[in-house]
Amino acid sequence: MESNMRKYLAEFFGTLMLVAVGTGTVVLVGLQTGPLPVALAFGIALAAGAYAFGPISGGHFNPAVSLGAAINGRITWGEFVGYVISQLIGGLAGSAIVWAIMQSVGANATMIKQVGFGQTDYTAPVSFIGASVIEMILTFLFVLVILMVTSKKASASSVAAPMIIGLTLAALIIVGVSVTGASLNPARSFGPAIFFAMFGSATALTHIAAYFVGPLVGGALAALVAKYGLGSEE
C-alpha cells in the first residue's frame, strides 16, 4: 500500500507539472509566435516529469497511457484506478496554479479558455466526432511510441526514453494544436475545463467528452497494436 501511494503521489506531481507548465504557456505566451513554444513546453515538462518521477510510477501523467499500461499488464487494474484519480487531481492542481498566476497579473476569467478544450477556440474548428477522431489518432501514435520505447525489446536506453517521449508529444501537438488543442490527455483537459466552468462559462464542459473518449480509445488501440502486433510485451 505504501508503495502504491508513492506511485500515486508521483503521478499527481508529474501531471501537475505537465498541466501547469504546458497550459500556463498557452495562457501566458499563446500561439502568436506559432505552436513551437507551446509544444516544447509540454514536451519538456513531460520529459522532466518522466526523469523525476518515472522511476517511481513509470511517469504516465495521462489516463490514456495508464489505460494502455493496464491493458498490457504493466500495472494492475486497481493501480489504474489510483493512477487516473491521481492524474485528474494533479490536473486540477496544475490548473489552480495557472489560475493563480492569471489572477496575479489581472487576467479575467475568460482567458482560461485558452488552455484549450472546446471546439470553437481554434483556427480550424471541427465537429465533436471530428475532434474525438483527431484526439484518438494523435493519442494512438503517442501511446504506441511510449509502449514501444519502454518495452523489453526497445533499443532506446532508459535514459533516452523520456526525451524521446517528450519530443513525440511536442511533434504531435504541433500537428493538432490549431484544430483541437492537441490534448492527447484527459487529465490535461479536465482541470482547465473545470476551472473555466467555475470562473468563466457554465458551458465549458459541453465538449469535454471528446477529450476523454478520443484519447482513451486511442490509448487502448495502441496497447493492442503494441502487444499483439508488435510484440512489445514478449
Side-chain angles (χ1 to χ4, degrees):
M1 180 63 71
E2 182 181 357
S3 176
N4 280 349
M5 288 305 298
R6 288 177 179 173
K7 292 179 182 178
Y8 303 152
L9 194 60
E11 287 296 305
F12 166 80
F13 280 115
T15 310
L16 180 155
M17 184 167 69
L18 176 68
V19 172
V21 173
T23 60
T25 302
V26 175
V27 168
L28 299 174
V29 177
L31 298 173
Q32 294 90 339
T33 58
L36 187 59
V38 171
L40 287 178
F42 276 107
I44 293 171
L46 178 60
Y51 279 123
F53 307 115
I56 301 173
S57 67
H60 298 178
F61 319 141
N62 184 337
V65 176
S66 296
L67 178 60
I71 290 173
N72 284 3
R74 299 190 185 186
I75 62 174
T76 68
W77 286 105
E79 288 176 325
F80 167 72
V81 173
Y83 272 51
V84 172
I85 292 173
S86 301
Q87 292 156 359
L88 293 176
I89 296 173
L92 283 171
S95 296
I97 292 173
V98 175
W99 177 254
I101 294 172
M102 290 168 58
Q103 292 301 295
S104 71
V105 299
N108 60 50
T110 59
M111 280 186 66
I112 201 163
K113 72 182 180 183
Q114 296 178 35
V115 171
F117 55 85
Q119 294 168 277
T120 60
D121 295 325
Y122 305 104
T123 57
V126 294
S127 67
F128 174 85
I129 294 177
S132 299
V133 170
I134 291 169
E135 288 289 315
M136 178 190 72
I137 293 170
L138 295 178
T139 307
F140 168 81
L141 295 172
F142 179 51
V143 176
L144 185 62
V145 168
I146 291 174
L147 293 174
M148 294 310 299
V149 300
T150 58
S151 68
K152 296 177 181 178
K153 60 173 61 178
S155 59
S157 69
S158 59
V159 174
M163 188 57 64
I164 294 171
I165 293 168
L167 289 173
T168 300
L169 177 62
L172 293 172
I173 287 175
I174 291 173
V175 173
V177 69
S178 66
V179 185
T180 66
S183 171
L184 286 62
N185 184 341
R188 172 257 185 273
S189 294
F190 176 73
I194 292 296
F195 268 78
F196 187 36
M198 291 191 299
F199 301 110
S201 169
T203 63
L205 295 173
T206 303
H207 302 127
I208 190 65
Y211 296 87
F212 275 78
V213 174
L216 291 174
V217 172
L221 290 175
L224 296 176
V225 171
K227 183 174 183 178
Y228 297 109
L230 301 173
S232 65
E233 310 310 308
E234 294 177 358

